[in-house]
Amino acid sequence: MTEPSPAERYAAARADRAHPQTRAFADAQRFTLDDFQIAGCHALEDGRSVLVAAPTGAGKTIVGEFAVHLAMQTPNQKAFYTTPIKALSNQKFRELQDVYGEDEVGLLTGDTNINGGARVLVMTTEVLRNMLYADSPALRGLRYVVMDEVHYLADRFRGAVWEEVIIHLPADVRLVSLSATVSNAEEFGDWLDTVRGDTEVIVSETRPVPLEQHVLVRGDLLPLFDDRAGVATAQVNQELMRIRGGQAFAANSAYFDGRRKGGGGRRPKPGFKRPGPPRRLERIDRPEVVHLLERSNLLPAIFFIFSRAGCEGAVQQVRRSGLRLTTAEERAEIRAVVASRTGALPDEDLAALGYWEWVENLERGVAAHHAGLLPAFKEVVEELFQRKLVKVVFATETLALGINMPARTVVLEKLEKFNGEARVAITSGEYTQLTGRAGRRGIDVEGHAVVQWTEGMDPQAVAALASRRTYPLNSSFRPTYNMAVNLIDQFGRARARQILESSFAQFQADRAVVGLARQVKDAEESLAGYAKAMTCEHGDFTEYSAIRRDLSDLEKLNRKDAGASRGTREQRQREIGGLRRRMQRHPCHRCPDREQHARWAERYWKLRRQTDKTRRQIENRTGTVARVFDRIIEVLTALDYVRLDGDEATLTEAGRRMRRIYGERDLLVAESLRTGIWKNLDAASLAALACCLVYEPRGNDGGADPRSLPRGAFRLALSETEDLWARLDDLEQDHRLPGSEPVATGLAAAMHMWARGALLDSVLVEADMAAGDFVRWAKQTIDLLDQLSLVAEGELARTARRALDAVRRGIVAYSSV
């Protein structure tokens, strides 16, 4: 590192004097801040909002923490720190408590409310969206909002919430947006500047810990890139290319032999020496890979395996091999951590959770980490890995979503995954997100990414994946019924449309329109040139060529559609005859230069078709979001949630109730309450029905066997709810809205059992799912029941509260904070 020049030192000293808060904050950190972190802090101290896009592990959260620091310097100011998932909220809550104390930091995650009046509140983004719509008193004094992992805005299920928050935050709130590296950060920053005011965009593509890329071939770790060329040139290691070439040659040789035995193909040239049998590149077992990494001082490591069963199977493989990665002292420490973090779990549930085997694996230094794992177990794995007590974690990609679990090494066993429909290659963005876990700042000099060799692997493709930096952030924003009634209530219909047109989705669509409009303008100039070139002194050649095109198209259709009825063919023949007579009578038909004009006309009509298509694209993109909003208003008007008076819209009593119903099924829930079809349910049956509305089956889950569903009032209410869904779906289709998925009953029987007090092991057998999945759906069921307890009336509200309490027990009630 070169010494700064006197001029650079002078500029840095001036910046320090201009930003005393940044200087004091930086001096209090355990490490020297990077340039991009200092730039972000300076922007905030200058009163601007900021977007920071940097690689995983680069330390962008420092800028968010500085925003909290600034708020705490002024009495009565507040800072909110939002995250996309509860695990991240829990982690950030503990970190900020360590800095500012328990009294000053609170946590709001839907099912957890700790110290909600604190000056620093950590929350999921949905909680903040709901606070904005409800005009919560907690918003008073709010000065800074940190949106961690803001690239979640592209998530097609939850991304719209990020845009709602960004649009609706009070104008005087400074926004700190923290994102993974995206290729269109400037575009996103331009939108933030438009809707939030002065926003500085800071992009860093530098990893704080350099990443070494390897390919594991047999038992050898070979560099992916040629050491002499470096990653910047993407020069692939020639030894890997020779290995691939050898495999390809062996395959071609086998094909050649097959052709020879069948009598086909060419004979080899004289002196040709046939190679020996191809050398098969056997993959080494996982315990051997772990042992190799241990010998090479490359632990701790995360193995990314894109299936839960694969993660659990990998742990069992290591267990069966007898491999142990921990000392006696470390095992004692592991037991102490497990005991302190899981002591609240009911004893009768531990056997159903595979607790004893899980602890034994932890003591060996290995663990799995995936969405099916009980949240309490996942938190223990995360803590033990951070403390370097667990050395190897086999994880699905959910671990890459921002949780602080850096490793020395990341291993990718395959470069493809199942996306729910088919096996697809991972993207360069996913590769970067996964390998971003490699390299612990302040501990490792470099991180290591290891890709295991597979048959047919192309090293060039792996190198392109590792070196490409093209992953744009695209909006997934779409209006919902709940959003519509809240906007109308607060702003009226006209202003609501303007707000929606300020979304990032419309911003991106409008930018695309600029490019399309330029294409149309260029095409119009070309069309004018073609029209001039086909000008005919005998008459209008554009008109004449249009007749020729119509005639040609009809003749082609008649030849292709040989199976048409006799009447249809006769009708077409009459039309063809009429067009032919019109063409022959047209004055341009007698022009001696007719065919030369016709060639220009062919170009003209081809470009005209393309231009008309582009114009339609422009029309479809202009005002897209507002058009969807108008269709939603039509549905709400038809159902009497909204009443229209000219262009003015007002909410009915049902519309005001819908303001507090959030989620994918907002309209179905609101209509079910209004029609009273759930009023005769007991607590367990209401919990089961609420579960049907939130549960999303995986794959081709066809739903529950009807015979297993709870009897009595539940079945009647379910049938009426399904009929209601069908009517609403038809109404949405009539208004050109996409509709929703049918009600899913697959978890209803298990949720009913749980709410009636059944033991965990029998409930999991009925559910046929992992404990972590059941807990996740139970918490979403609780969230809906909580909404029902607030918006329903009379006995149904009380039933919802009883149902909520019945579901929130045992492992579902467990909370680590």
Side-chain angles (χ1 to χ4, degrees), residues 211 213 224 303-307 395-398 400 410-420 422-436 449-452 454 457-458 460-471:
L211 184 65
Q213 311 267 359
L224 173 59
F303 285 65
F304 281 110
I305 301 172
F306 300 115
S307 85
T396 56
E397 70 234 71
T398 54
V410 163
V411 180
L412 300 180
E413 294 194 345
K414 292 180 180 177
L415 295 176
E416 61 177 22
K417 65 176 184 176
F418 186 70
N419 67 356
R423 297 206 70 80
V424 296
I426 66 173
T427 65
S428 57
E430 288 169 330
Y431 182 92
T432 302
Q433 186 85 351
L434 296 168
T435 57
V450 176
V451 177
Q452 285 196 261
T454 55
M457 177 184 280
D458 180 4
Q460 294 278 15
V462 180
L465 201 63
S467 56
R468 194 179 296 129
R469 292 290 179 268
T470 53
Y471 22 97

Side-chain angles (χ1 to χ4, degrees), residues 756-800:
R756 292 183 65 193
L759 293 175
L760 178 64
D761 57 354
S762 58
V763 171
L764 294 181
V765 168
E766 175 61 42
D768 190 26
M769 65 172 51
D773 289 322
F774 178 76
V775 169
R776 186 168 76 256
W777 294 121
K779 289 196 172 184
Q780 292 200 30
T781 301
I782 286 171
D783 188 44
L784 177 53
L785 290 170
D786 189 38
Q787 293 180 44
L788 294 179
S789 73
L790 297 173
V791 300
E793 296 174 346
E795 185 58 31
L796 183 57
R798 290 188 286 274
T799 303

Side-chain angles (χ1 to χ4, degrees), residues 209 232 499 527 644:
V209 181
I499 288 169
L527 286 169
L644 296 180

Side-chain angles (χ1 to χ4, degrees), residues 65-309:
E65 289 163 13
F66 179 67
V68 175
H69 168 82
L70 286 178
M72 297 301 286
Q73 303 309 302
T74 306
N76 303 320
Q77 281 196 356
K78 292 181 180 178
F80 288 177
Y81 198 110
T82 74
T83 73
I85 55 178
K86 292 176 184 177
L88 269 177
S89 293
N90 292 345
Q91 192 175 78
K92 205 71 207 175
F93 171 66
R94 287 191 290 265
E95 290 174 7
L96 291 172
Q97 271 191 329
D98 291 342
V99 178
Y100 298 106
E102 293 184 4
D103 292 342
E104 297 287 10
V105 183
L107 176 67
L108 302 174
T109 60
D111 61 347
T112 303
N113 184 334
I114 299 173
N115 200 14
R119 290 177 60 197
V120 179
L121 282 179
V122 182
M123 62 187 71
T124 51
T125 318
E126 281 85 355
V127 169
L128 178 53
R129 185 271 311 270
N130 299 352
M131 289 171 70
L132 288 166
Y133 280 150
D135 195 22
S136 168
L139 296 169
R140 285 196 282 275
L142 181 60
R143 178 58 178 162
Y144 298 97
V145 167
V146 182
M147 301 195 77
D148 204 352
E149 309 283 339
V150 76
H151 50 274
Y152 257 75
L153 182 143
D155 184 272
R156 68 191 183 98
F157 296 111
R158 298 171 58 211
V161 177
W162 272 253
E163 292 192 47
E164 288 180 81
V165 168
I166 291 168
I167 291 169
H168 293 307
L169 276 173
D172 60 344
V173 173
R174 298 296 89 194
L175 186 66
V176 183
S177 304
L178 308 177
S179 171
T181 311
V182 291
S183 53
N184 63 332
E186 285 77 12
E187 179 190 40
F188 184 50
D190 287 348
W191 174 69
L192 288 172
D193 200 67
T194 301
V195 294
R196 299 297 318 160
D198 193 4
T199 301
E200 181 146 343
V201 179
I202 297 165
V203 178
S204 172
E205 294 196 12
T206 304
R207 280 178 51 96
V209 181
L211 184 65
E212 294 289 321
Q213 311 267 359
H214 311 273
V215 178
L216 178 58
V217 185
R218 295 183 292 272
D220 297 328
L221 279 174
L222 302 179
L224 173 59
F225 294 101
D226 190 320
D227 291 339
R228 294 163 298 178
V231 178
T233 61
Q235 180 69 45
V236 178
N237 185 346
Q238 291 306 299
E239 186 174 350
L240 291 173
M241 297 305 296
R242 282 194 292 272
I243 291 169
R244 173 173 166 76
Q247 285 193 314
F249 183 79
N252 290 336
S253 178
Y255 172 75
F256 182 85
D257 283 347
R259 294 275 294 168
R260 290 265 297 143
K261 288 171 185 173
R266 295 176 298 174
R267 292 184 176 276
K269 294 179 181 180
F272 174 81
K273 185 176 180 182
R274 187 164 308 286
R279 186 180 176 191
R280 184 171 175 78
L281 298 178
E282 297 287 352
R283 287 167 65 97
I284 62 176
D285 291 338
R286 287 175 180 132
E288 293 180 67
V289 178
V290 173
H291 192 51
L292 170 68
L293 297 179
E294 184 184 29
R295 289 198 316 269
S296 306
N297 196 27
L298 293 179
L299 296 182
I302 298 171
F303 285 65
F304 281 110
I305 301 172
F306 300 115
S307 85
R308 301 173 182 187

Side-chain angles (χ1 to χ4, degrees), residues 704-721:
D705 180 348
R707 292 170 298 183
S708 71
L709 293 173
R711 298 181 182 278
F714 173 84
R715 293 198 182 185
L716 177 60
L718 175 64
S719 176
E720 291 179 328
T721 304

